[in-house]
Amino acid sequence: MSEAEATAAVEPDASAALGVQQELPLAIVQGMPFLTLPQDLYIPPDALEVFLETFEGPLDLLLYLIRRQNLDILDIPIARITDQYMEYVELMRELRLELAAEYLLMAAMLAEIKSRMLLPRPQVDAEEGADPRADLIRRLQEYERFKQAAADLDALPRLERDHFVVEAGVPPGCIQRRPPDVDLREVLLALREVLARAELFSSHRVEKEPLSLRERMSQVLERLHGGGFARLTDLFDPSEGRPGVVVTFLALLELIKSSVLELVQSESFAPIHVKLRERASPEFHEQPAA
């Protein structure tokens, strides 16, 4: 090992031993630190570009200048507006912004209107009263109306921007089964079964038994007073015979018609149950049978 290499190898250890803080590298490329910038590094001027999106066109820039100074759009001081417009154009050139051709065309139009306003006009033109700013004012008014209409449309509520559709899915395993509506035909079939059983208890003894519809309605309500369910066929007493079954059935129909009772069936062809409706507490007074 040469003397220079030995010195280079010893110097880092000596610096570390003395506690001298070493300079941090600017970059590390392929494991090699760089403490200084290379001399041949070249950054082109157009490497960083700034795009000005404040104005959407030359008319938007003119409208901004007029509104900022609270000027009357029908009486534009064309000289002042032209000077300010050219200042913005020169500023964008200094910032190396790419100017569209329409900005330069508007600058030429403003310069033309300014020159026509400054130069004396012939007597014929003066009598006609043609204003060089008329066409520019018309374009500015139309642009202002369309810009305001666009702002009003943008202020309206928009889906996926102001409002979002919310969907709530049913969790797995949660199945809601709605009981089917009780068909009148099934009620009549249940009545037929009860009448068929009542025929088994028929006798030849004839006697007059007073049956009150109001009394039977009160008996049904008293039986369902606990708030539970009762099977429809259990409300009939076959020992009373056909008249008793018919009176009980009429009492049930009257209570259902008055929205006091409710028929419930868990599924098709299942037994029919009866229960009291919620908040239904009518009072029935017994009346003597006719």
Side-chain angles (χ1 to χ4, degrees), residues 3-103:
E3 183 178 356
E5 293 177 352
T7 305
V10 172
E11 282 182 356
D13 298 336
S15 300
L18 295 176
V20 179
Q21 184 177 2
Q22 297 182 356
E23 185 178 0
L24 295 176
L26 297 176
I28 298 178
V29 180
Q30 296 181 356
M32 297 182 59
F34 286 85
L35 302 178
T36 59
L37 293 175
Q39 299 297 329
D40 56 348
L41 181 61
Y42 172 72
I43 300 177
D46 297 335
L48 299 177
E49 294 184 359
V50 180
F51 297 93
L52 186 62
E53 298 181 355
T54 304
F55 306 111
E56 299 178 356
L59 289 177
D60 196 15
L61 176 57
L62 281 179
L63 193 61
Y64 165 75
L65 295 176
I66 293 173
R67 287 178 175 177
R68 189 184 66 174
Q69 303 182 52
N70 198 16
L71 299 177
D72 186 7
I73 196 172
L74 298 177
D75 188 14
I76 304 175
I78 198 67
R80 189 195 313 175
I81 293 298
T82 303
D83 294 340
Q84 294 180 2
Y85 184 87
M86 294 306 299
E87 289 180 3
Y88 273 91
V89 172
E90 293 298 332
L91 177 61
M92 285 188 281
R93 284 181 175 177
E94 292 179 2
L95 294 176
R96 304 184 62 85
L97 299 179
E98 183 180 357
L99 288 176
E102 54 185 7
Y103 281 91

Side-chain angles (χ1 to χ4, degrees), residues 43-251:
I43 300 177
D46 297 335
L48 299 177
E49 294 184 359
V50 180
F51 297 93
L52 186 62
E53 298 181 355
T54 304
F55 306 111
E56 299 178 356
L59 289 177
D60 196 15
L61 176 57
L62 281 179
L63 193 61
Y64 165 75
L65 295 176
I66 293 173
R67 287 178 175 177
R68 189 184 66 174
Q69 303 182 52
N70 198 16
L71 299 177
D72 186 7
I73 196 172
L74 298 177
D75 188 14
I76 304 175
I78 198 67
R80 189 195 313 175
I81 293 298
T82 303
D83 294 340
Q84 294 180 2
Y85 184 87
M86 294 306 299
E87 289 180 3
Y88 273 91
V89 172
E90 293 298 332
L91 177 61
M92 285 188 281
R93 284 181 175 177
E94 292 179 2
L95 294 176
R96 304 184 62 85
L97 299 179
E98 183 180 357
L99 288 176
E102 54 185 7
Y103 281 91
L104 301 178
L105 180 61
M106 179 59 68
M109 183 184 299
L110 290 174
E112 180 185 1
I113 296 175
K114 179 180 178 181
S115 62
R116 291 175 61 185
M117 296 284 293
L118 295 177
L119 294 177
R121 289 179 291 176
Q123 187 66 23
V124 179
D125 296 341
E127 292 178 358
E128 294 178 358
D131 191 350
R133 303 170 296 177
D135 184 59
L136 179 61
I137 292 174
R138 179 184 57 80
R139 293 175 58 186
L140 284 173
Q141 288 177 337
E142 291 181 357
Y143 177 78
E144 186 177 18
R145 285 197 298 268
F146 281 103
K147 185 176 182 180
Q148 184 62 38
D152 295 340
L153 290 176
D154 186 68
L156 295 177
R158 188 182 303 173
L159 189 63
E160 304 297 341
R161 188 193 68 177
D162 305 317
H163 301 281
F164 299 91
V165 179
V166 178
E167 297 181 359
V170 179
C174 180
I175 301 176
Q176 297 181 357
R177 299 181 60 184
R178 181 179 178 273
D181 297 332
V182 180
D183 192 5
L184 180 61
R185 181 174 176 272
E186 297 184 9
V187 179
L188 296 178
L189 290 176
L191 174 64
R192 188 179 66 177
E193 294 178 2
V194 175
L195 291 176
R197 285 187 295 169
E199 291 291 339
L200 300 176
F201 295 90
S202 62
S203 61
H204 298 284
R205 185 176 57 180
V206 178
E207 61 182 17
K208 185 178 180 181
E209 182 179 358
L211 296 175
S212 173
L213 181 61
R214 284 285 179 178
E215 181 181 1
R216 189 57 53 89
M217 293 168 65
S218 300
Q219 292 175 1
V220 173
L221 290 177
E222 184 177 1
R223 184 169 181 178
L224 299 175
H225 183 69
F229 291 82
R231 197 166 181 174
L232 178 64
T233 56
D234 295 338
L235 297 177
F236 297 88
D237 188 3
S239 62
E240 294 181 351
R242 181 181 293 271
V245 173
V246 173
V247 171
T248 303
F249 184 73
L250 292 178

